[in-house]
PDB file of all heavy atoms in Angstrom:
ATOM      1  N   LEU A  14     -23.650 -12.948 -61.784  1.00 31.00           N
ATOM      2  CA  LEU A  14     -22.876 -12.685 -60.566  1.00 31.00           C
ATOM      3  C   LEU A  14     -23.183 -11.314 -60.007  1.00 31.00           C
ATOM      4  O   LEU A  14     -23.321 -11.146 -58.798  1.00 31.00           O
ATOM      5  CB  LEU A  14     -21.374 -12.816 -60.852  1.00 31.00           C
ATOM      6  CG  LEU A  14     -20.883 -14.228 -61.129  1.00 31.00           C
ATOM      7  CD1 LEU A  14     -19.421 -14.192 -61.563  1.00 31.00           C
ATOM      8  CD2 LEU A  14     -21.052 -15.119 -59.916  1.00 31.00           C
ATOM      9  N   LEU A  15     -23.324 -10.320 -60.870  1.00 30.00           N
ATOM     10  CA  LEU A  15     -23.631  -8.963 -60.426  1.00 30.00           C
ATOM     11  C   LEU A  15     -24.990  -8.925 -59.742  1.00 30.00           C
ATOM     12  O   LEU A  15     -25.150  -8.337 -58.671  1.00 30.00           O
ATOM     13  CB  LEU A  15     -23.603  -7.992 -61.606  1.00 30.00           C
ATOM     14  CG  LEU A  15     -23.887  -6.533 -61.283  1.00 30.00           C
ATOM     15  CD1 LEU A  15     -22.808  -5.992 -60.352  1.00 30.00           C
ATOM     16  CD2 LEU A  15     -23.932  -5.705 -62.537  1.00 30.00           C
ATOM     17  N   LEU A  16     -25.986  -9.547 -60.349  1.00 32.00           N
ATOM     18  CA  LEU A  16     -27.320  -9.571 -59.748  1.00 32.00           C
ATOM     19  C   LEU A  16     -27.337 -10.327 -58.431  1.00 32.00           C
ATOM     20  O   LEU A  16     -28.137 -10.056 -57.551  1.00 32.00           O
ATOM     21  CB  LEU A  16     -28.334 -10.182 -60.722  1.00 32.00           C
ATOM     22  CG  LEU A  16     -28.630  -9.331 -61.958  1.00 32.00           C
ATOM     23  CD1 LEU A  16     -29.525 -10.089 -62.914  1.00 32.00           C
ATOM     24  CD2 LEU A  16     -29.249  -8.006 -61.575  1.00 32.00           C
ATOM     25  N   ALA A  17     -26.442 -11.287 -58.281  1.00 34.00           N
ATOM     26  CA  ALA A  17     -26.361 -12.051 -57.039  1.00 34.00           C
ATOM     27  C   ALA A  17     -25.565 -11.299 -55.980  1.00 34.00           C
ATOM     28  O   ALA A  17     -25.421 -11.762 -54.859  1.00 34.00           O
ATOM     29  CB  ALA A  17     -25.731 -13.421 -57.307  1.00 34.00           C
ATOM     30  N   GLY A  18     -25.002 -10.130 -56.322  1.00 35.00           N
ATOM     31  CA  GLY A  18     -24.233  -9.344 -55.355  1.00 35.00           C
ATOM     32  C   GLY A  18     -22.817  -9.841 -55.181  1.00 35.00           C
ATOM     33  O   GLY A  18     -22.193  -9.619 -54.162  1.00 35.00           O
ATOM     34  N   VAL A  19     -22.284 -10.539 -56.173  1.00 29.00           N
ATOM     35  CA  VAL A  19     -20.934 -11.082 -56.098  1.00 29.00           C
ATOM     36  C   VAL A  19     -20.097 -10.424 -57.175  1.00 29.00           C
ATOM     37  O   VAL A  19     -20.508 -10.354 -58.330  1.00 29.00           O
ATOM     38  CB  VAL A  19     -20.952 -12.618 -56.301  1.00 29.00           C
ATOM     39  CG1 VAL A  19     -19.558 -13.181 -56.273  1.00 29.00           C
ATOM     40  CG2 VAL A  19     -21.825 -13.276 -55.257  1.00 29.00           C
ATOM     41  N   GLY A  20     -18.921  -9.948 -56.795  1.00 30.00           N
ATOM     42  CA  GLY A  20     -18.027  -9.341 -57.770  1.00 30.00           C
ATOM     43  C   GLY A  20     -17.385 -10.406 -58.642  1.00 30.00           C
ATOM     44  O   GLY A  20     -17.462 -11.598 -58.352  1.00 30.00           O
ATOM     45  N   LEU A  21     -16.740 -10.001 -59.720  1.00 25.00           N
ATOM     46  CA  LEU A  21     -16.102 -10.955 -60.622  1.00 25.00           C
ATOM     47  C   LEU A  21     -14.997 -11.734 -59.930  1.00 25.00           C
ATOM     48  O   LEU A  21     -14.680 -12.839 -60.326  1.00 25.00           O
ATOM     49  CB  LEU A  21     -15.566 -10.240 -61.860  1.00 25.00           C
ATOM     50  CG  LEU A  21     -16.644  -9.721 -62.804  1.00 25.00           C
ATOM     51  CD1 LEU A  21     -16.008  -8.989 -63.979  1.00 25.00           C
ATOM     52  CD2 LEU A  21     -17.530 -10.849 -63.295  1.00 25.00           C
ATOM     53  N   ALA A  22     -14.411 -11.167 -58.878  1.00 28.00           N
ATOM     54  CA  ALA A  22     -13.388 -11.895 -58.142  1.00 28.00           C
ATOM     55  C   ALA A  22     -14.005 -12.888 -57.167  1.00 28.00           C
ATOM     56  O   ALA A  22     -13.300 -13.620 -56.500  1.00 28.00           O
ATOM     57  CB  ALA A  22     -12.485 -10.919 -57.385  1.00 28.00           C
ATOM     58  N   GLY A  23     -15.350 -12.894 -57.056  1.00 27.00           N
ATOM     59  CA  GLY A  23     -16.014 -13.855 -56.190  1.00 27.00           C
ATOM     60  C   GLY A  23     -16.193 -13.367 -54.769  1.00 27.00           C
ATOM     61  O   GLY A  23     -16.563 -14.141 -53.901  1.00 27.00           O
ATOM     62  N   CYS A  24     -15.950 -12.095 -54.499  1.00 27.00           N
ATOM     63  CA  CYS A  24     -16.075 -11.554 -53.151  1.00 27.00           C
ATOM     64  C   CYS A  24     -17.433 -10.894 -52.986  1.00 27.00           C
ATOM     65  O   CYS A  24     -17.858 -10.149 -53.853  1.00 27.00           O
ATOM     66  CB  CYS A  24     -14.981 -10.517 -52.884  1.00 27.00           C
ATOM     67  SG  CYS A  24     -13.332 -11.207 -52.989  1.00 27.00           S
ATOM     68  N   SER A  25     -18.091 -11.153 -51.882  1.00 25.00           N
ATOM     69  CA  SER A  25     -19.371 -10.509 -51.619  1.00 25.00           C
ATOM     70  C   SER A  25     -19.138  -9.076 -51.216  1.00 25.00           C
ATOM     71  O   SER A  25     -18.163  -8.759 -50.547  1.00 25.00           O
ATOM     72  CB  SER A  25     -20.105 -11.224 -50.488  1.00 25.00           C
ATOM     73  OG  SER A  25     -20.425 -12.517 -50.894  1.00 25.00           O
ATOM     74  N   LYS A  26     -20.057  -8.202 -51.626  1.00 26.00           N
ATOM     75  CA  LYS A  26     -20.002  -6.805 -51.226  1.00 26.00           C
ATOM     76  C   LYS A  26     -20.836  -6.634 -49.975  1.00 26.00           C
ATOM     77  O   LYS A  26     -21.852  -7.307 -49.816  1.00 26.00           O
ATOM     78  CB  LYS A  26     -20.558  -5.910 -52.330  1.00 26.00           C
ATOM     79  CG  LYS A  26     -19.686  -5.853 -53.549  1.00 26.00           C
ATOM     80  CD  LYS A  26     -20.260  -4.877 -54.536  1.00 26.00           C
ATOM     81  CE  LYS A  26     -19.354  -4.716 -55.724  1.00 26.00           C
ATOM     82  NZ  LYS A  26     -19.852  -3.705 -56.639  1.00 26.00           N
ATOM     83  N   PRO A  27     -20.446  -5.721 -49.059  1.00 29.00           N
ATOM     84  CA  PRO A  27     -21.277  -5.467 -47.892  1.00 29.00           C
ATOM     85  C   PRO A  27     -22.639  -4.926 -48.313  1.00 29.00           C
ATOM     86  O   PRO A  27     -22.744  -4.233 -49.313  1.00 29.00           O
ATOM     87  CB  PRO A  27     -20.505  -4.412 -47.095  1.00 29.00           C
ATOM     88  CG  PRO A  27     -19.225  -4.192 -47.804  1.00 29.00           C
ATOM     89  CD  PRO A  27     -19.262  -4.920 -49.106  1.00 29.00           C
ATOM     90  N   ALA A  28     -23.665  -5.231 -47.542  1.00 32.00           N
ATOM     91  CA  ALA A  28     -25.018  -4.790 -47.870  1.00 32.00           C
ATOM     92  C   ALA A  28     -25.130  -3.281 -47.924  1.00 32.00           C
ATOM     93  O   ALA A  28     -25.986  -2.738 -48.601  1.00 32.00           O
ATOM     94  CB  ALA A  28     -26.007  -5.356 -46.856  1.00 32.00           C
ATOM     95  N   SER A  29     -24.265  -2.564 -47.210  1.00 34.00           N
ATOM     96  CA  SER A  29     -24.360  -1.108 -47.170  1.00 34.00           C
ATOM     97  C   SER A  29     -23.684  -0.442 -48.352  1.00 34.00           C
ATOM     98  O   SER A  29     -23.785   0.749 -48.526  1.00 34.00           O
ATOM     99  CB  SER A  29     -23.737  -0.579 -45.880  1.00 34.00           C
ATOM    100  OG  SER A  29     -22.345  -0.823 -45.913  1.00 34.00           O
ATOM    101  N   ASP A  30     -22.957  -1.197 -49.166  1.00 34.00           N
ATOM    102  CA  ASP A  30     -22.264  -0.600 -50.294  1.00 34.00           C
ATOM    103  C   ASP A  30     -23.290  -0.088 -51.286  1.00 34.00           C
ATOM    104  O   ASP A  30     -24.198  -0.794 -51.666  1.00 34.00           O
ATOM    105  CB  ASP A  30     -21.370  -1.651 -50.952  1.00 34.00           C
ATOM    106  CG  ASP A  30     -20.399  -1.040 -51.938  1.00 34.00           C
ATOM    107  OD1 ASP A  30     -20.391   0.195 -52.083  1.00 34.00           O
ATOM    108  OD2 ASP A  30     -19.658  -1.813 -52.552  1.00 34.00           O
ATOM    109  N   THR A  31     -23.161   1.169 -51.685  1.00 35.00           N
ATOM    110  CA  THR A  31     -24.124   1.735 -52.616  1.00 35.00           C
ATOM    111  C   THR A  31     -23.412   2.411 -53.757  1.00 35.00           C
ATOM    112  O   THR A  31     -22.235   2.701 -53.696  1.00 35.00           O
ATOM    113  CB  THR A  31     -25.043   2.764 -51.933  1.00 35.00           C
ATOM    114  OG1 THR A  31     -24.255   3.868 -51.533  1.00 35.00           O
ATOM    115  CG2 THR A  31     -25.807   2.183 -50.779  1.00 35.00           C
ATOM    116  N   SER A  32     -24.166   2.677 -54.790  1.00 36.00           N
ATOM    117  CA  SER A  32     -23.662   3.464 -55.908  1.00 36.00           C
ATOM    118  C   SER A  32     -24.693   4.535 -56.192  1.00 36.00           C
ATOM    119  O   SER A  32     -25.722   4.587 -55.541  1.00 36.00           O
ATOM    120  CB  SER A  32     -23.467   2.551 -57.128  1.00 36.00           C
ATOM    121  OG  SER A  32     -24.697   1.966 -57.471  1.00 36.00           O
ATOM    122  N   SER A  33     -24.439   5.361 -57.160  1.00 40.00           N
ATOM    123  CA  SER A  33     -25.371   6.437 -57.461  1.00 40.00           C
ATOM    124  C   SER A  33     -26.206   6.084 -58.672  1.00 40.00           C
ATOM    125  O   SER A  33     -25.719   5.516 -59.625  1.00 40.00           O
ATOM    126  CB  SER A  33     -24.613   7.735 -57.723  1.00 40.00           C
ATOM    127  OG  SER A  33     -23.994   8.148 -56.547  1.00 40.00           O
ATOM    128  N   SER A  34     -27.452   6.454 -58.622  1.00 38.00           N
ATOM    129  CA  SER A  34     -28.334   6.264 -59.766  1.00 38.00           C
ATOM    130  C   SER A  34     -28.121   7.413 -60.735  1.00 38.00           C
ATOM    131  O   SER A  34     -27.366   8.332 -60.475  1.00 38.00           O
ATOM    132  CB  SER A  34     -29.782   6.240 -59.290  1.00 38.00           C
ATOM    133  OG  SER A  34     -30.157   7.512 -58.824  1.00 38.00           O
ATOM    134  N   ALA A  35     -28.826   7.367 -61.835  1.00 37.00           N
ATOM    135  CA  ALA A  35     -28.701   8.426 -62.837  1.00 37.00           C
ATOM    136  C   ALA A  35     -29.100   9.779 -62.272  1.00 37.00           C
ATOM    137  O   ALA A  35     -28.657  10.811 -62.747  1.00 37.00           O
ATOM    138  CB  ALA A  35     -29.558   8.091 -64.051  1.00 37.00           C
ATOM    139  N   THR A  36     -29.938   9.798 -61.238  1.00 41.00           N
ATOM    140  CA  THR A  36     -30.375  11.064 -60.662  1.00 41.00           C
ATOM    141  C   THR A  36     -29.412  11.584 -59.608  1.00 41.00           C
ATOM    142  O   THR A  36     -29.602  12.656 -59.073  1.00 41.00           O
ATOM    143  CB  THR A  36     -31.762  10.903 -60.006  1.00 41.00           C
ATOM    144  OG1 THR A  36     -31.639   9.968 -58.935  1.00 41.00           O
ATOM    145  CG2 THR A  36     -32.795  10.447 -60.993  1.00 41.00           C
ATOM    146  N   GLY A  37     -28.382  10.807 -59.274  1.00 51.00           N
ATOM    147  CA  GLY A  37     -27.432  11.225 -58.253  1.00 51.00           C
ATOM    148  C   GLY A  37     -27.812  10.762 -56.867  1.00 51.00           C
ATOM    149  O   GLY A  37     -27.042  10.901 -55.946  1.00 51.00           O
ATOM    150  N   ALA A  38     -29.003  10.178 -56.685  1.00 52.00           N
ATOM    151  CA  ALA A  38     -29.421   9.673 -55.384  1.00 52.00           C
ATOM    152  C   ALA A  38     -28.748   8.333 -55.137  1.00 52.00           C
ATOM    153  O   ALA A  38     -28.655   7.509 -56.038  1.00 52.00           O
ATOM    154  CB  ALA A  38     -30.936   9.515 -55.342  1.00 52.00           C
ATOM    155  N   PRO A  39     -28.252   8.090 -53.915  1.00 55.00           N
ATOM    156  CA  PRO A  39     -27.631   6.803 -53.628  1.00 55.00           C
ATOM    157  C   PRO A  39     -28.651   5.681 -53.782  1.00 55.00           C
ATOM    158  O   PRO A  39     -29.833   5.861 -53.510  1.00 55.00           O
ATOM    159  CB  PRO A  39     -27.183   6.931 -52.176  1.00 55.00           C
ATOM    160  CG  PRO A  39     -27.299   8.363 -51.823  1.00 55.00           C
ATOM    161  CD  PRO A  39     -28.252   8.977 -52.782  1.00 55.00           C
ATOM    162  N   THR A  40     -28.165   4.509 -54.226  1.00 51.00           N
ATOM    163  CA  THR A  40     -29.021   3.335 -54.334  1.00 51.00           C
ATOM    164  C   THR A  40     -28.303   2.142 -53.735  1.00 51.00           C
ATOM    165  O   THR A  40     -27.072   2.092 -53.697  1.00 51.00           O
ATOM    166  CB  THR A  40     -29.374   3.021 -55.805  1.00 51.00           C
ATOM    167  OG1 THR A  40     -28.171   2.833 -56.533  1.00 51.00           O
ATOM    168  CG2 THR A  40     -30.201   4.113 -56.436  1.00 51.00           C
TER     169      THR A  40
END
Side-chain angles (χ1 to χ4, degrees):
L14 290 173
L15 181 63
L16 291 174
V19 178
L21 290 178
C24 299
S25 295
K26 291 184 176 184
S29 67
D30 192 2
T31 66
S32 60
S33 294
S34 68
T36 63
T40 58

